[in-house]
Amino acid sequence: MSNFLKISGLHAKIEADGGDKEILRGVDLEIPAGELHVIMGPNGCGKSTLAYTLAGREDYEVTAGSVSFKGQDLLAMEPDERAAAGVFLAFQSPVELPGVNNANFLRTAVNSVRRARGEAEMDAVQFLKTVRAATKSLSMQDEMLKRNVNVGFSGGEKKRNEVLQMTLLQPSLAILDETDSGLDVDALRIVADGVNKLRAPDFSALVITHHQRLLDYLSPDRIHVMAKGRIIRSGGPELARQIDQDGYATFLADAA
Amino acid sequence: MNSVDISVSDVGPFAQRLAAAGGVRSLAANAFAEVGLPGTKDEAFHYTSLRSLNRLKFIADSVVPSDAELESLIDNALPSDGSLASATRIVFVNGIFSEKFSTVSGLSAVSFTHGTQEEQHSVADNDLPLVLLNRALGCSTAELEVPEGTDAGTIVILSLNFGNATEGDEAPSFHPHLHVRVGKGASVTLAEMIIGKGVYLNNPVSVINVAKEASVTHTKLQRESADAFHLATVSPVIAERGTYNSFTLGFGAQLSRHEVHAYLEGAGSAVHINGAQLLVDRQVGDITSVITHAAPNCISRQTVRNVLADRARGVFQGKVFVERIAQKTDGYQMNQALLLSETAEMNAKPELEIYADDVKCSHGATVGALDDDQLFYLCSRGIPDAEARRILVEAFLIEAVGLVEVDDVRAALEGALSAALVERIGATTMGDGSLS
């Protein structure tokens, strides 16, 4: 399937300080099925905006362009429909939900997408079995399931909880927004393992990162450099190593 | 004085019943007739108008459903998992003690009497109008006494109220009275549950005496009919090192007021006046408290959460009064409201009146809408918007219910909350993925 994810001329703006601020200024990007692509770029270039826009955050208004995902118009779908269709966003700053039990939250999410995908819902016993297997593979304590979602979690625990959600929801497109930031080497490896376990011919990932470090564990297919709301350069894995050594300056100068 | 002067217009809706309140009750009837129903010019009722009562004429007669129907209603009122089914039960039907449906034989650890209100008709200068009304028109009193050093466990106090099917000119009014005395070092959990149908006024009064080192948990689940009026007054008096830990959870009535007057009488005593309410349509729900610190080293805690949808209005008034003698008072008060529509409203009035100089008292209030970040987070995990909203509303209220420390009673309140949310906010209930 060559048209797995196709982003064409995507423009998006956000309301800020009483005016509109255009953040995405014509993003073109294609990710074939089964590939892992990486977006790197300086702060403020629009990486997170792209991630949020793909997941369906309302604050970002798409003014031009299109996104087709497995032949569907992704931009016409509600956030929950996108999740059911297979899009998963691992948040840069996972949101705390006081009063919402993590296990209940996970099961509600899993059964919501299963229902939408026409699959049978999991009962409490099935779910427990599935979730325990997942937590074990992520070196997570079961105790984290009893707590409220992300409340009082350390930075690393929050990121691991994101990977747990990703594992349980079985997406076909995972978008990881700086999931590696603030992680020690062990946690980094766990996150990478979580992604690698999902890798399959019908699974693709878009990894947003600042660091080569995570990529050492992920073996990406393509690297894209983003600046000022556009993809300005694409290449193989060597591009990431080049950025790690020299920074973005040369790319930005080339693009100017 | 045996005749009742009913010339004051503010007693209009009760005129007929007051005139019939003969004998010892006429004292309270006269006192009520003198002050009348509070109006919005009375500071304590500034935000809560009782004017809508004037549309009605309250009568003594009411229709009681068949025993079979009552039985099934009682079953439905209790938690479906049967957790409180075996607890001692005191049942009131239309404000009158029902021996048939009560299981007072189980009250071995406590003594229980009931009767008419003849013996508690006396009137004091500072009696509240709605308490006077209760005394003037009340027809059944329940007295519970928990002997010194006894753990009486959980007692369910179930009230079933039945009014007119439609709002006509007349409606019944109910005025039950509960007096609980908990002896030195004793403990008891009072789980009050109220359900109803049709148009009526429920005007219950509870007095709770907590002796030295005694401990009382008192919860109330208010599910009056949507057309009913609920005007309750609870007066706990707490002696040295005693605790009174209360929670009210309100869903029902077109107009409700839960008014607590707590008196911290003995040094080192503690009171918790917590609560939550979920109101829709044009419901008005008022949670009012006056906490008097009359001794040193006492603690008072208040956490109240309100969820208001449609054109609903919540009222919170919390007054903490610290007498000169009450040094080292530790008082905390927090009222939070979640508004689910542009037309919902919250009126909050915290008040501190402090005459001691070494105290720690804080209060706070928040009013807001659902958090967009939280909503998006839930939806991005495949949860449809309506269910995501319900989950966040439930989370907001369940945190408050978590303050109830008695497990089976807390579970009963949580279950009632989930059911009310599905009924009122929609979407299916969240899966039970608990890992216990």
Side-chain angles (χ1 to χ4, degrees):
Chain A
M1 232 197 312
S2 64
N3 263 342
F4 186 75
L5 178 73
K6 185 169 193 223
I7 304 171
S8 311
L10 188 65
H11 287 253
K13 63 181 187 181
I14 190 167
E15 223 176 89
D17 305 323
D20 285 341
K21 194 176 169 204
E22 188 172 50
I23 301 181
L24 300 185
R25 301 173 185 189
V27 176
D28 293 303
L29 180 66
E30 270 184 64
I31 304 181
E35 294 196 358
L36 189 148
H37 287 213
V38 174
I39 292 188
M40 302 180 90
N43 288 329
C45 71
K47 301 186 300 290
S48 288
T49 298
L50 178 62
Y52 274 136
T53 304
L54 292 176
R57 176 99 207 199
E58 264 185 4
D59 312 28
Y60 300 95
E61 191 193 332
V62 173
T63 52
S66 65
V67 179
S68 121
F69 176 59
K70 296 196 281 192
Q72 291 172 280
D73 178 2
L74 190 68
L75 299 178
M77 299 159 83
E78 295 295 326
D80 59 303
E81 295 169 338
R82 298 184 196 203
V87 176
F88 180 86
L89 169 64
F91 282 55
Q92 187 177 348
S93 308
V95 178
E96 295 184 5
L97 303 176
V100 181
N101 172 274
N102 205 19
N104 283 347
F105 161 68
L106 293 168
R107 185 168 164 228
T108 304
V110 165
N111 279 337
S112 294
V113 300
R114 288 181 73 94
R115 204 159 46 227
R117 291 171 187 168
E119 298 164 11
E121 294 183 34
M122 281 195 201
D123 64 28
V125 177
Q126 277 177 298
F127 175 74
L128 262 187
K129 219 172 136 186
T130 310
V131 79
R132 286 214 164 111
T135 49
K136 201 176 165 199
S137 76
L138 294 168
S139 306
M140 285 173 71
Q141 304 285 322
D142 279 352
E143 183 262 337
M144 274 175 70
L145 298 170
K146 295 180 189 171
R147 286 155 68 183
N148 288 336
V149 181
N150 295 328
V151 177
F153 284 26
S154 70
E157 285 174 330
K158 283 182 181 172
K159 295 297 173 77
R160 252 182 276 187
N161 204 32
E162 294 292 287
V163 177
L164 173 64
Q165 291 167 47
M166 181 176 74
T167 305
L168 293 172
L169 292 176
Q170 299 182 305
S172 47
L173 173 69
I175 304 162
L176 285 83
D177 188 4
E178 298 195 25
T179 304
D180 54 338
S181 66
L183 293 187
D184 61 32
V185 179
D186 291 336
L188 199 68
R189 198 171 288 144
I190 289 164
V191 167
D193 280 353
V195 178
N196 287 331
K197 281 203 182 90
L198 289 173
R199 291 208 67 171
D202 57 355
F203 171 84
S204 301
L206 180 61
V207 177
I208 295 169
T209 183
H210 278 295
H211 308 288
Q212 167 64 31
R213 216 169 46 147
L214 175 65
L215 306 182
D216 290 341
Y217 301 104
L218 284 182
S219 39
D221 296 293
R222 295 283 286 172
I223 310 289
H224 307 277
V225 181
M226 194 167 181
K228 293 180 183 163
R230 312 179 55 159
I231 305 291
I232 57 166
R233 182 83 175 264
S234 299
E238 72 286 350
L239 206 54
R241 284 189 287 276
Q242 196 185 331
I243 290 168
D244 215 34
Q245 280 168 18
D246 307 334
Y248 298 113
T250 51
F251 301 106
L252 294 176
D254 287 353
Chain B
M1 188 161 46
N2 264 338
S3 67
V4 179
D5 170 16
I6 52 161
S7 60
V8 178
S9 63
D10 284 350
V11 303
F14 301 102
Q16 189 184 325
R17 291 206 62 185
L18 288 168
V24 288
R25 287 195 216 144
S26 64
L27 204 59
N30 273 308
F32 176 72
E34 221 165 279
V35 292
L37 270 179
T40 48
K41 283 183 183 152
D42 293 282
E43 205 190 334
F45 282 81
H46 180 68
Y47 296 109
T48 303
S49 168
L50 303 182
R51 220 171 21 226
S52 47
L53 292 174
N54 288 324
R55 291 200 304 265
L56 296 162
K57 192 185 288 169
F58 288 104
I59 54 171
D61 291 337
S62 62
V63 178
V64 175
S66 71
D67 283 1
E69 198 179 330
L70 283 174
E71 216 159 289
S72 90
L73 286 166
I74 290 170
D75 281 348
N76 285 335
L78 293 167
S80 53
D81 65 1
S83 60
L84 294 175
S86 59
T88 298
R89 190 184 303 163
I90 299 171
V91 177
F92 290 88
V93 178
N94 291 357
I96 296 171
F97 173 73
S98 162
E99 189 147 24
K100 199 185 303 176
F101 291 103
S102 301
T103 54
V104 289
S105 56
L107 288 173
S108 54
V110 304
S111 70
F112 174 78
T113 55
H114 67 94
T116 59
Q117 239 162 312
E118 309 285 308
E119 54 284 336
Q120 52 98 34
H121 65 281
S122 65
V123 170
D125 281 350
N126 59 351
D127 280 333
L128 299 161
L130 293 172
V131 173
L132 290 172
L133 184 67
N134 174 279
R135 284 190 201 152
L137 305 182
C139 27
S140 202
T141 298
E143 303 221 10
L144 269 172
E145 184 144 1
V146 183
E148 195 175 314
T150 310
D151 179 359
T154 298
I155 298 174
V156 173
I157 300 158
L158 195 54
S159 297
L160 298 93
N161 301 317
F162 303 94
N164 296 355
T166 53
E167 187 155 328
D169 298 336
E170 293 185 335
S173 65
F174 311 129
H175 309 268
H177 187 271
L178 176 70
H179 194 161
V180 183
R181 292 185 192 82
V182 184
K184 186 181 166 192
S187 62
V188 66
T189 296
L190 306 166
E192 217 180 313
M193 299 179 181
I194 305 164
I195 59 167
K197 276 183 179 172
V199 187
Y200 58 85
L201 163 68
N202 187 20
N203 167 224
V205 168
S206 310
V207 177
I208 323 264
N209 293 99
V210 184
K212 197 171 165 181
E213 286 156 11
S215 162
V216 175
T217 296
H218 186 184
T219 64
K220 173 167 130 182
L221 175 57
Q222 186 267 97
R223 291 187 287 193
E224 301 274 21
S225 138
D227 299 315
F229 300 88
H230 175 89
L231 301 171
T233 310
V234 186
S235 304
V237 179
I238 307 121
E240 251 173 288
R241 295 188 296 283
T243 61
Y244 175 76
N245 195 337
S246 71
F247 194 94
T248 179
L249 181 60
F251 304 124
Q254 57 169 298
L255 171 65
S256 66
R257 176 153 160 134
H258 177 78
E259 183 167 344
V260 181
H261 290 258
Y263 195 75
L264 291 158
E265 190 179 49
S269 57
V271 68
H272 298 241
I273 312 291
N274 300 320
Q277 54 183 351
L278 170 64
L279 307 176
V280 298
D281 298 331
R282 289 174 172 270
Q283 283 184 293
V284 176
D286 174 334
I287 295 176
T288 287
S289 60
V290 178
I291 298 174
T292 304
H293 284 257
N297 294 306
C298 295
I299 295 171
S300 64
R301 293 278 177 275
Q302 278 185 98
T303 299
V304 175
R305 289 196 168 178
N306 311 267
V307 173
L308 307 161
D310 308 323
R311 304 185 74 87
R313 193 159 61 84
V315 177
F316 172 80
Q317 304 184 100
K319 180 169 182 172
V320 178
F321 185 94
V322 182
E323 292 184 359
R324 192 180 299 273
I325 190 177
Q327 298 294 1
K328 305 282 182 194
T329 284
D330 179 355
Y332 169 84
Q333 181 188 97
M334 176 58 84
N335 178 69
Q336 293 173 292
L338 198 49
L339 305 184
L340 300 184
S341 81
E342 299 274 331
T343 45
E345 190 181 325
M346 180 75 219
N347 304 122
K349 190 176 79 172
E351 253 184 298
L352 289 172
E353 196 169 329
I354 301 173
Y355 294 97
D357 55 15
D358 183 13
V359 304
K360 190 172 83 184
C361 283
S362 66
H363 64 81
T366 64
V367 178
L370 285 175
D371 184 285
D372 284 341
D373 289 334
Q374 295 181 337
L375 261 181
F376 177 63
Y377 191 68
L378 289 164
C379 292
S380 76
R381 271 54 181 142
I383 300 170
D385 183 75
E387 193 172 358
R389 287 175 191 276
R390 194 192 50 70
I391 288 169
L392 292 177
V393 168
E394 177 163 11
F396 179 76
L397 294 174
I398 215 105
E399 278 201 311
V401 176
L403 295 168
V404 176
E405 287 167 2
V406 180
D407 289 343
D408 53 356
V409 175
R410 184 185 58 249
L413 295 178
E414 286 170 349
L417 172 59
S418 295
L421 277 162
V422 169
E423 191 184 305
R424 299 176 153 225
I425 310 291
T428 56
T429 182
M430 204 156 159
D432 176 19
S434 66
L435 296 172
S436 51

